[in-house]
Amino acid sequence: MYEKRDAKDRQLDAYRVPLDEFRMTTDQGIGVDHTDDSLRAGERGPTLMEDFHFREKLTRFDHERIPERVVHARGAGAYGIFQLYESLGDLTTATFLNDTSLRTPTFVRFSTVAGSRGSADTVRDVRGFATKFYTPHGNFDIVGNNFPVFFIQDGIKFPDFVHAVKPEPHNEIPQAQSAHDTFWDFVQLQPESLHMVMWLMSDRAIPRSFRMMQGFGVHTFRLVNALGQATFVKWHWRPVLGTYSLVWDEVLRIQGNDPDFNRRDLWEAIERGAYPEYELCVQLVPESREYDFDFDLLDPTKIIPEEQVALRPIGKMTLNRNPQNFFAETEQVAFHTANIVPGIDFSNDPLLQARNFSYLDTQLLRLGGPNFPQIPINRPLNDVHNDQRDGFHQHMIHGSRTSYAPNSLSGGFPAAGNGYRHYQERVDGVKIRKRSPSFDDHYSQATLFWNSMAGWEKQHIVAAFLFELGHVEHQHIKGGVVRHLGQIHPDLASQVAAGLGLPQPPMAQVHSNASPALSMTGQPQSVATRKIAILMADGTDAGEVTALRESLEGKGAICEVIAPAEGSVAGIPVDRQLSAANSVLYDAVVAADGAALAPLGRAQFFVKEAFKHGKAIGAVGSGRELLEAARLPNDVGVVMGDGIAEKFATAVAGHRFYERDVAAVPA
Ligand code: HDE
């Protein structure tokens, strides 16, 4: 267990409103003893203007909303601690990357990109993974995603891209989806997006949990040491639980059953003390090797394959506390790629350069002026001193007579010695509105991604293209996309073209290189934090169920009992009644009764659906009868009989059995 309180906590304490001291007052501190009726001229008369409490209450209510983020509007946040494994003192002067005894407080916000604030969590989309490190020398943000590349190479295309993926302007349809004409029109006309689109069509775009999701800084940054020497760096977050995804059909049903699926999962895990952990890894490239690759390190549509530059784990972040107030913390947190600390610097990636402008600009509007860094969640741990003054919502009371530098009256000198120093990169060039030819190859890494996928991953990618393009109305857009797929891989292009009833496009000669690290096979396996539904009814053998449950919970799994009615069954409390439960909200199912459940269509559907989604299914006692009634074949991942506890735990830890013949199960 980790010590929950840290420096940021203590800093925030000053701003928290303790519940036990709660007495109602107006914003001016005047006591309010009645807030149920407005002040009227007579019991049946008009409301009076002088009712300052009524007017203040309504006015404040009318102004509660602030603009949602233009992108990444829907998110969930958590506090954590980052601890370094070994000093990187030879590479960077950043204190939090030097001192292994430091426990650097962090705040993370996970998000989807396209949907509005109230959209469902489990849509096909990129996930934001933004981390603020409150270091002793100021705030450092890694504003990353769960994919290592991006749709565009130059930030000037960002408004075009976002307009294309957002709901179409004439009817504001569809919400939080890329399955529509304007998105795919952009893709077919802007082939630099294709590598990212491959990731978007893969199961990476439907993560099982924020806790089981990688994060990437995407751009190349720099580490800078005390001698002023730089090393290129790419940031990677690797979840200790492994990287896992949902199944497409499952996410469609989760959206209705629990639109807060990912948000709830994160919240509950932290409340339970099952703290999500991520290793921070770096890929390091000495400046001397900048041109050693067959892509440009400044091109954000390219990865450095792990097989070419290994990942070096440098520390671990543990998310150990939920926010207390969603608005104050998660909604008001302001990330910015340009929030960097001494020892870290940018590269000339044109996407990063654009972001370094955009984030500050967007906060000014969203958070209502230039003083948003004073909002508690955004304040650095160290003191802030400068001559920047005034503006909306100024909270500081500057006592000094001066607000200019230099001055001879009250100090105000620049920090001596430990101030931020920009890396002294030599820059030489003519002004030119042109992309470097080293950014021209849009297909090789899309092919690399396809080649690296396991069979089931390829099937899911093809199915995703068919779903998405199946929602596109214009034939020329579908045809345009398929022609690009012909440049990525003939197997992909031919299946998608056939499914869309389009002619086979011209097929390119493609390379056969693969990067095994890109596949989601071979992840760390654990039953810990997996959610298991136990279907019970009056005929359940309580002894068998309890033994299995204790064994699973002993390994960190979460079991919920589902029965035809609330209350208890065989002395075991019921968590949810069958009509309110759904298999898509669980990782695995145990059938623990046959006699009463087998005739129930809903119980049959529950196990059948779990089977189709590749989930581990166990049977104890007469539970086998339910599986038989549902006509489930005795396929992989269906476990019963002797030694079930261990066999079932192994099956659950394996996540999904994609190789199942789901067509064999009747609808
Ligand atoms: Fe963002 N992005 N972005 N983005 N982005 C925003 O900032 C922008 C890009 C990312 O949880 C906005 O505060 C431009 C890449 C995350 O609060 C905005 C460009 C990556 C978050 C903005 C990009 C990201 C944002 C909207 C192209 C992954 C959510 C509200 C040059 C490496 C942070 C806000 C949070 C949010 C601009 C591209 C990740 C408008 C102009 C690439 C995780 O400023």
Side-chain angles (χ1 to χ4, degrees):
M1 282 293 181
Y2 286 78
E3 157 69 54
K4 277 193 164 188
R5 298 180 52 73
D6 57 54
K8 187 67 187 169
D9 267 339
R10 288 192 292 275
Q11 192 201 42
L12 287 170
D13 277 351
Y15 299 92
R16 293 204 170 106
V17 182
L19 267 180
D20 48 1
E21 285 175 21
F22 190 74
R23 305 262 188 290
M24 192 176 285
T25 70
T26 66
D27 282 345
Q28 305 303 322
I30 315 298
V32 173
D33 58 10
H34 186 111
T35 191
D36 295 338
D37 296 291
S38 48
L39 187 70
R40 286 186 283 266
E43 283 169 12
R44 299 184 61 253
T47 302
L48 296 176
M49 277 286 281
E50 73 186 56
D51 187 352
F52 55 85
H53 168 52
F54 159 78
R55 276 190 290 124
E56 180 191 88
K57 186 174 174 182
L58 270 275
T59 300
R60 289 299 309 266
F61 170 73
D62 294 343
H63 294 260
E64 275 177 7
R65 295 290 169 270
I66 62 172
E68 65 174 34
R69 288 165 175 82
V70 186
V71 282
H72 297 266
R74 179 163 180 86
Y79 289 93
I81 285 290
F82 173 74
Q83 198 138 16
L84 192 68
Y85 294 151
E86 50 172 324
S87 171
L88 298 186
D90 53 332
L91 297 169
T92 172
T93 55
T95 335
F96 81 109
L97 297 178
N98 272 244
D99 183 350
T100 52
S101 69
L102 256 187
R103 289 159 48 80
T104 306
T106 59
F107 185 79
V108 175
R109 185 173 177 274
F110 299 109
S111 49
T112 54
V113 177
S116 324
R117 223 185 106 176
S119 56
D121 277 348
T122 56
V123 293
R124 178 176 295 284
D125 199 355
V126 192
R127 298 298 183 284
F129 189 143
T131 309
K132 194 179 282 296
F133 296 79
Y134 303 93
T135 88
H137 294 113
N139 290 348
F140 168 58
D141 295 352
I142 300 181
V143 198
N145 279 344
N146 73 329
F147 299 176
V149 288
F150 201 63
F151 292 102
I152 47 171
Q153 294 174 320
D154 187 324
I156 198 167
K157 294 303 298 168
F158 194 64
D160 298 300
F161 163 70
V162 174
H163 288 172
V165 71
K166 283 274 183 180
E168 298 186 10
H170 62 303
N171 56 9
E172 225 202 14
I173 295 175
Q175 175 58 239
Q177 300 226 349
S178 50
H180 60 113
D181 286 60
T182 55
F183 173 74
W184 287 99
D185 193 27
F186 181 88
V187 170
Q188 63 130 355
L189 296 172
Q190 202 75 26
E192 72 206 54
S193 61
L194 287 166
H195 183 196
M196 178 81 161
V197 165
M198 293 297 289
W199 285 78
L200 187 65
M201 293 302 104
S202 80
D203 288 359
R204 299 273 189 155
I206 44 172
R208 157 67 181 84
S209 163
F210 293 139
R211 305 175 293 114
M212 301 173 193
M213 193 175 89
Q214 282 171 289
F216 302 90
V218 174
H219 315 281
T220 301
F221 288 83
R222 280 190 171 92
L223 296 179
V224 185
N225 67 15
L227 302 173
Q229 297 158 336
T231 307
F232 289 118
V233 61
K234 292 253 192 197
W235 304 109
H236 295 244
W237 288 112
R238 218 162 43 180
V240 169
L241 287 174
T243 306
Y244 288 102
S245 288
L246 298 164
V247 176
W248 178 241
D249 181 61
E250 188 184 10
V251 307
L252 296 176
R253 305 240 305 121
I254 294 176
Q255 286 169 28
N257 276 290
D258 186 5
D260 304 300
F261 184 78
N262 290 138
R263 181 185 279 194
R264 188 188 307 281
D265 167 275
L266 178 70
W267 179 275
E268 289 183 352
I270 294 174
E271 288 300 295
R272 216 181 292 119
Y275 299 142
E277 296 177 315
Y278 307 82
E279 277 198 315
L280 181 62
C281 305
V282 288
Q283 279 181 303
L284 299 169
V285 178
E287 293 245 315
S288 57
R289 288 195 53 208
E290 179 173 2
Y291 301 107
D292 283 6
F293 303 92
D294 58 3
F295 52 88
D296 196 325
L297 279 186
L298 302 185
D299 177 354
T301 66
K302 303 296 184 296
I303 57 163
I304 309 178
E306 284 182 34
E307 293 73 15
Q308 282 182 45
V309 177
L311 255 57
R312 175 169 161 193
I314 61 166
K316 191 194 278 179
M317 175 169 68
T318 306
L319 299 182
N320 57 10
R321 191 162 61 76
N322 278 317
Q324 276 195 321
N325 181 282
F326 182 90
F327 181 83
E329 295 159 286
T330 309
E331 193 59 14
Q332 292 201 106
V333 68
F335 293 98
H336 187 6
T337 46
N339 288 349
I340 48 172
V341 289
I344 300 177
D345 210 330
F346 312 114
S347 72
N348 293 334
D349 174 342
L351 195 69
L352 174 59
Q353 299 277 322
R355 296 180 74 197
N356 286 345
F357 164 75
S358 185
Y359 289 71
L360 174 57
D361 187 47
T362 207
Q363 315 302 355
L364 290 174
L365 177 69
R366 202 171 68 78
L367 298 170
N371 288 313
F372 67 86
Q374 295 178 15
I375 296 172
I377 190 69
N378 296 324
R379 288 172 63 108
L381 292 178
N382 49 334
D383 290 341
V384 171
H385 293 292
N386 56 46
D387 293 321
Q388 280 134 223
R389 287 291 186 275
D390 307 345
F392 284 114
H393 319 303
Q394 174 60 260
H395 281 58
M396 293 208 225
I397 301 173
H398 295 100
S400 162
R401 179 171 184 171
T402 65
S403 53
Y404 59 93
N407 77 71
S408 63
L409 301 178
S410 49
F413 304 110
N418 62 354
Y420 186 88
R421 294 206 194 131
H422 293 269
Y423 173 62
Q424 297 201 341
E425 181 186 7
R426 190 187 158 84
V427 180
D428 199 6
V430 293
K431 282 186 220 163
I432 184 165
R433 199 183 279 282
K434 182 172 181 291
R435 214 166 288 187
S436 164
S438 56
F439 281 43
D440 277 355
D441 171 14
H442 305 319
Y443 300 108
S444 300
Q445 288 210 348
T447 306
L448 183 80
F449 186 76
W450 173 261
N451 290 346
S452 311
M453 295 293 103
W456 60 269
E457 290 175 307
K458 287 181 176 168
Q459 280 171 16
H460 293 187
I461 291 172
V462 171
F465 270 108
L466 289 175
F467 179 94
E468 296 268 318
L469 293 169
H471 286 76
V472 168
E473 292 163 16
H474 293 85
Q475 287 298 319
H476 76 274
I477 295 179
K478 298 184 196 197
V481 175
V482 168
R483 272 194 297 283
H484 287 302
L485 299 187
Q487 304 296 304
I488 295 174
H489 205 283
D491 290 350
L492 170 64
S494 58
Q495 292 179 72
V496 175
L500 295 174
L502 293 175
Q504 295 290 309
M507 303 289 187
Q509 287 281 342
V510 294
H511 69 79
S512 56
N513 301 339
S515 166
L518 297 176
S519 169
M520 284 196 290
T521 50
Q523 294 295 317
Q525 298 198 348
S526 167
V527 73
T529 79
R530 295 298 188 151
K531 255 183 132 171
I532 299 165
I534 306 181
L535 297 186
M536 297 187 14
D538 288 339
T540 296
D541 179 333
E544 270 198 75
V545 166
T546 304
L548 176 62
R549 185 175 183 170
E550 280 175 0
S551 163
L552 291 168
E553 288 178 347
K555 294 181 170 73
I558 301 132
C559 296
E560 284 188 4
V561 170
I562 293 165
E566 289 185 17
S568 69
V569 169
I572 301 173
V574 173
D575 295 298
R576 203 174 276 271
Q577 48 119 338
L578 193 53
S579 315
N582 228 293
S583 82
V584 292
L585 303 180
Y586 298 90
D587 290 295
V589 181
V590 176
D593 177 274
L597 293 180
L600 297 183
R602 195 162 172 85
Q604 288 185 23
F605 182 72
F606 200 101
V607 289
K608 219 184 272 186
E609 192 178 46
F611 182 91
K612 290 199 175 199
H613 295 153
K615 295 175 182 175
I617 296 180
V620 291
S622 60
R624 175 194 295 260
E625 290 170 33
L626 174 59
L627 307 192
E628 284 166 2
R631 290 194 278 158
L632 294 192
N634 194 3
D635 206 333
V636 281
V638 179
V639 183
M640 52 188 97
D642 292 343
I644 181 164
E646 287 311 313
K647 283 191 278 179
F648 185 64
T650 308
V652 177
H655 184 62
R656 296 287 199 273
F657 297 89
Y658 295 111
E659 65 273 41
R660 270 188 197 150
D661 180 12
V662 292
V665 181

